[in-house]
mmCIF file of all heavy atoms in Angstrom:
data_model
loop_
_atom_site.group_PDB
_atom_site.id
_atom_site.type_symbol
_atom_site.label_atom_id
_atom_site.label_comp_id
_atom_site.label_asym_id
_atom_site.label_seq_id
_atom_site.Cartn_x
_atom_site.Cartn_y
_atom_site.Cartn_z
ATOM 1 N N VAL A 62 251.479 40.689 -90.838
ATOM 2 C CA VAL A 62 252.593 40.472 -91.757
ATOM 3 C C VAL A 62 253.616 39.556 -91.071
ATOM 4 O O VAL A 62 253.944 39.755 -89.898
ATOM 5 C CB VAL A 62 253.231 41.825 -92.139
ATOM 6 C CG1 VAL A 62 254.463 41.606 -93.004
ATOM 7 C CG2 VAL A 62 252.210 42.665 -92.893
ATOM 8 N N ALA A 63 254.095 38.572 -91.801
ATOM 9 C CA ALA A 63 254.961 37.558 -91.193
ATOM 10 C C ALA A 63 256.192 38.176 -90.541
ATOM 11 O O ALA A 63 256.609 37.752 -89.459
ATOM 12 C CB ALA A 63 255.368 36.526 -92.245
ATOM 13 N N SER A 64 256.735 39.183 -91.184
ATOM 14 C CA SER A 64 257.969 39.775 -90.651
ATOM 15 C C SER A 64 257.743 40.400 -89.271
ATOM 16 O O SER A 64 258.672 40.503 -88.473
ATOM 17 C CB SER A 64 258.521 40.811 -91.631
ATOM 18 O OG SER A 64 257.524 41.764 -91.935
ATOM 19 N N ALA A 65 256.512 40.786 -88.975
ATOM 20 C CA ALA A 65 256.202 41.364 -87.672
ATOM 21 C C ALA A 65 256.303 40.325 -86.557
ATOM 22 O O ALA A 65 256.374 40.663 -85.380
ATOM 23 C CB ALA A 65 254.803 41.982 -87.688
ATOM 24 N N ALA A 66 256.279 39.053 -86.946
ATOM 25 C CA ALA A 66 256.371 37.979 -85.948
ATOM 26 C C ALA A 66 257.808 37.525 -85.727
ATOM 27 O O ALA A 66 258.077 36.667 -84.880
ATOM 28 C CB ALA A 66 255.512 36.802 -86.388
ATOM 29 N N SER A 67 258.701 38.089 -86.473
ATOM 30 C CA SER A 67 260.107 37.720 -86.376
ATOM 31 C C SER A 67 260.634 38.041 -84.980
ATOM 32 O O SER A 67 260.338 39.108 -84.427
ATOM 33 C CB SER A 67 260.887 38.493 -87.449
ATOM 34 O OG SER A 67 262.195 38.025 -87.492
ATOM 35 N N GLY A 68 261.376 37.123 -84.410
ATOM 36 C CA GLY A 68 261.939 37.345 -83.089
ATOM 37 C C GLY A 68 260.966 37.100 -81.952
ATOM 38 O O GLY A 68 261.296 37.343 -80.792
ATOM 39 N N ARG A 69 259.761 36.649 -82.270
ATOM 40 C CA ARG A 69 258.789 36.354 -81.215
ATOM 41 C C ARG A 69 258.390 34.878 -81.315
ATOM 42 O O ARG A 69 258.668 34.222 -82.314
ATOM 43 C CB ARG A 69 257.572 37.275 -81.368
ATOM 44 C CG ARG A 69 258.003 38.751 -81.314
ATOM 45 C CD ARG A 69 256.888 39.696 -81.697
ATOM 46 N NE ARG A 69 255.852 39.749 -80.657
ATOM 47 C CZ ARG A 69 254.756 40.513 -80.757
ATOM 48 N NH1 ARG A 69 254.568 41.272 -81.826
ATOM 49 N NH2 ARG A 69 253.879 40.522 -79.791
ATOM 50 N N ASN A 70 257.752 34.389 -80.273
ATOM 51 C CA ASN A 70 257.378 32.976 -80.264
ATOM 52 C C ASN A 70 256.006 32.766 -80.875
ATOM 53 O O ASN A 70 255.007 33.267 -80.358
ATOM 54 C CB ASN A 70 257.389 32.429 -78.826
ATOM 55 C CG ASN A 70 258.781 32.372 -78.265
ATOM 56 O OD1 ASN A 70 259.711 31.889 -78.917
ATOM 57 N ND2 ASN A 70 258.959 32.903 -77.059
ATOM 58 N N ILE A 71 255.965 32.024 -81.957
ATOM 59 C CA ILE A 71 254.700 31.724 -82.629
ATOM 60 C C ILE A 71 254.282 30.308 -82.240
ATOM 61 O O ILE A 71 255.071 29.365 -82.349
ATOM 62 C CB ILE A 71 254.867 31.785 -84.163
ATOM 63 C CG1 ILE A 71 255.375 33.170 -84.593
ATOM 64 C CG2 ILE A 71 253.563 31.433 -84.869
ATOM 65 C CD1 ILE A 71 255.975 33.202 -85.984
ATOM 66 N N THR A 72 253.044 30.170 -81.767
ATOM 67 C CA THR A 72 252.514 28.833 -81.487
ATOM 68 C C THR A 72 251.318 28.581 -82.387
ATOM 69 O O THR A 72 250.377 29.373 -82.416
ATOM 70 C CB THR A 72 252.078 28.694 -80.017
ATOM 71 O OG1 THR A 72 253.153 29.138 -79.182
ATOM 72 C CG2 THR A 72 251.710 27.253 -79.685
ATOM 73 N N THR A 73 251.370 27.480 -83.122
ATOM 74 C CA THR A 73 250.225 27.087 -83.942
ATOM 75 C C THR A 73 249.599 25.835 -83.334
ATOM 76 O O THR A 73 250.144 25.239 -82.401
ATOM 77 C CB THR A 73 250.663 26.764 -85.390
ATOM 78 O OG1 THR A 73 251.400 25.530 -85.384
ATOM 79 C CG2 THR A 73 251.520 27.879 -85.977
ATOM 80 N N ILE A 74 248.467 25.433 -83.891
ATOM 81 C CA ILE A 74 247.763 24.247 -83.389
ATOM 82 C C ILE A 74 248.669 23.020 -83.368
ATOM 83 O O ILE A 74 248.572 22.176 -82.480
ATOM 84 C CB ILE A 74 246.492 23.996 -84.245
ATOM 85 C CG1 ILE A 74 245.632 22.861 -83.690
ATOM 86 C CG2 ILE A 74 246.828 23.686 -85.707
ATOM 87 C CD1 ILE A 74 244.536 23.300 -82.785
ATOM 88 N N GLU A 75 249.607 22.947 -84.322
ATOM 89 C CA GLU A 75 250.509 21.792 -84.388
ATOM 90 C C GLU A 75 251.477 21.776 -83.210
ATOM 91 O O GLU A 75 252.079 20.731 -82.915
ATOM 92 C CB GLU A 75 251.313 21.810 -85.693
ATOM 93 C CG GLU A 75 250.485 21.562 -86.968
ATOM 94 C CD GLU A 75 249.962 22.841 -87.617
ATOM 95 O OE1 GLU A 75 249.967 23.891 -86.931
ATOM 96 O OE2 GLU A 75 249.558 22.788 -88.795
ATOM 97 N N GLY A 76 251.630 22.925 -82.543
ATOM 98 C CA GLY A 76 252.602 23.015 -81.464
ATOM 99 C C GLY A 76 252.009 22.899 -80.073
ATOM 100 O O GLY A 76 252.716 23.100 -79.075
ATOM 101 N N LEU A 77 250.734 22.561 -79.965
ATOM 102 C CA LEU A 77 250.107 22.500 -78.644
ATOM 103 C C LEU A 77 250.474 21.224 -77.887
ATOM 104 O O LEU A 77 250.850 21.274 -76.722
ATOM 105 C CB LEU A 77 248.583 22.606 -78.766
ATOM 106 C CG LEU A 77 248.020 23.972 -79.169
ATOM 107 C CD1 LEU A 77 246.491 23.923 -79.162
ATOM 108 C CD2 LEU A 77 248.515 25.078 -78.242
ATOM 109 N N ALA A 78 250.362 20.091 -78.551
ATOM 110 C CA ALA A 78 250.625 18.822 -77.873
ATOM 111 C C ALA A 78 252.116 18.719 -77.547
ATOM 112 O O ALA A 78 252.943 19.357 -78.187
ATOM 113 C CB ALA A 78 250.198 17.652 -78.753
ATOM 114 N N SER A 79 252.429 17.902 -76.549
ATOM 115 C CA SER A 79 253.829 17.749 -76.164
ATOM 116 C C SER A 79 254.583 16.955 -77.227
ATOM 117 O O SER A 79 253.983 16.352 -78.108
ATOM 118 C CB SER A 79 253.924 17.034 -74.814
ATOM 119 O OG SER A 79 253.519 15.686 -74.977
ATOM 120 N N GLU A 80 255.898 16.937 -77.118
ATOM 121 C CA GLU A 80 256.746 16.222 -78.084
ATOM 122 C C GLU A 80 256.304 14.766 -78.250
ATOM 123 O O GLU A 80 256.301 14.245 -79.357
ATOM 124 C CB GLU A 80 258.212 16.250 -77.606
ATOM 125 C CG GLU A 80 258.878 17.598 -77.736
ATOM 126 C CD GLU A 80 259.360 17.874 -79.158
ATOM 127 O OE1 GLU A 80 259.977 16.961 -79.735
ATOM 128 O OE2 GLU A 80 259.121 18.981 -79.682
ATOM 129 N N ASP A 81 255.922 14.134 -77.127
ATOM 130 C CA ASP A 81 255.520 12.726 -77.233
ATOM 131 C C ASP A 81 254.028 12.569 -77.557
ATOM 132 O O ASP A 81 253.477 11.477 -77.446
ATOM 133 C CB ASP A 81 255.904 11.957 -75.956
ATOM 134 C CG ASP A 81 255.258 12.540 -74.705
ATOM 135 O OD1 ASP A 81 254.449 13.493 -74.850
ATOM 136 O OD2 ASP A 81 255.556 12.048 -73.605
ATOM 137 N N GLY A 82 253.393 13.672 -77.936
ATOM 138 C CA GLY A 82 252.033 13.568 -78.444
ATOM 139 C C GLY A 82 250.931 13.757 -77.418
ATOM 140 O O GLY A 82 249.756 13.620 -77.743
ATOM 141 N N GLU A 83 251.315 14.054 -76.178
ATOM 142 C CA GLU A 83 250.280 14.232 -75.158
ATOM 143 C C GLU A 83 249.503 15.523 -75.412
ATOM 144 O O GLU A 83 250.093 16.596 -75.593
ATOM 145 C CB GLU A 83 250.907 14.269 -73.763
ATOM 146 C CG GLU A 83 249.873 14.064 -72.672
ATOM 147 C CD GLU A 83 250.410 14.387 -71.275
ATOM 148 O OE1 GLU A 83 251.641 14.307 -71.087
ATOM 149 O OE2 GLU A 83 249.597 14.722 -70.408
ATOM 150 N N LEU A 84 248.194 15.407 -75.423
ATOM 151 C CA LEU A 84 247.353 16.558 -75.729
ATOM 152 C C LEU A 84 247.233 17.489 -74.526
ATOM 153 O O LEU A 84 247.359 17.051 -73.381
ATOM 154 C CB LEU A 84 245.958 16.095 -76.147
ATOM 155 C CG LEU A 84 245.880 15.219 -77.397
ATOM 156 C CD1 LEU A 84 244.430 14.793 -77.644
ATOM 157 C CD2 LEU A 84 246.438 15.937 -78.621
ATOM 158 N N THR A 85 246.950 18.737 -74.796
ATOM 159 C CA THR A 85 246.654 19.672 -73.712
ATOM 160 C C THR A 85 245.231 19.410 -73.219
ATOM 161 O O THR A 85 244.413 18.804 -73.934
ATOM 162 C CB THR A 85 246.743 21.127 -74.203
ATOM 163 O OG1 THR A 85 245.683 21.352 -75.146
ATOM 164 C CG2 THR A 85 248.081 21.424 -74.861
ATOM 165 N N PRO A 86 244.895 19.893 -72.011
ATOM 166 C CA PRO A 86 243.514 19.718 -71.520
ATOM 167 C C PRO A 86 242.480 20.322 -72.471
ATOM 168 O O PRO A 86 241.367 19.806 -72.599
ATOM 169 C CB PRO A 86 243.528 20.453 -70.177
ATOM 170 C CG PRO A 86 244.956 20.400 -69.733
ATOM 171 C CD PRO A 86 245.771 20.487 -70.987
ATOM 172 N N VAL A 87 242.837 21.402 -73.160
ATOM 173 C CA VAL A 87 241.892 22.006 -74.113
ATOM 174 C C VAL A 87 241.643 21.050 -75.275
ATOM 175 O O VAL A 87 240.487 20.766 -75.639
ATOM 176 C CB VAL A 87 242.419 23.360 -74.638
ATOM 177 C CG1 VAL A 87 241.544 23.891 -75.773
ATOM 178 C CG2 VAL A 87 242.478 24.388 -73.498
ATOM 179 N N GLN A 88 242.706 20.528 -75.853
ATOM 180 C CA GLN A 88 242.540 19.579 -76.965
ATOM 181 C C GLN A 88 241.738 18.359 -76.519
ATOM 182 O O GLN A 88 240.851 17.880 -77.235
ATOM 183 C CB GLN A 88 243.917 19.126 -77.483
ATOM 184 C CG GLN A 88 244.664 20.205 -78.257
ATOM 185 C CD GLN A 88 246.091 19.791 -78.564
ATOM 186 O OE1 GLN A 88 246.844 19.410 -77.662
ATOM 187 N NE2 GLN A 88 246.475 19.839 -79.828
ATOM 188 N N GLN A 89 242.065 17.841 -75.316
ATOM 189 C CA GLN A 89 241.373 16.653 -74.823
ATOM 190 C C GLN A 89 239.892 16.927 -74.606
ATOM 191 O O GLN A 89 239.036 16.094 -74.927
ATOM 192 C CB GLN A 89 242.035 16.169 -73.520
ATOM 193 C CG GLN A 89 241.565 14.790 -73.079
ATOM 194 C CD GLN A 89 241.812 13.712 -74.140
ATOM 195 O OE1 GLN A 89 242.920 13.578 -74.661
ATOM 196 N NE2 GLN A 89 240.767 12.966 -74.495
ATOM 197 N N ALA A 90 239.587 18.110 -74.084
ATOM 198 C CA ALA A 90 238.172 18.462 -73.853
ATOM 199 C C ALA A 90 237.415 18.524 -75.179
ATOM 200 O O ALA A 90 236.245 18.140 -75.261
ATOM 201 C CB ALA A 90 238.082 19.799 -73.114
#
Side-chain angles (χ1 to χ4, degrees):
Chain A
V62 175
S64 54
S67 188
R69 302 170 71 180
N70 292 313
I71 302 162
T72 309
T73 71
I74 186 94
E75 292 92 344
L77 289 183
S79 69
E80 288 280 314
D81 59 4
E83 196 192 335
L84 299 178
T85 67
V87 172
Q88 288 171 307
Q89 191 58 51

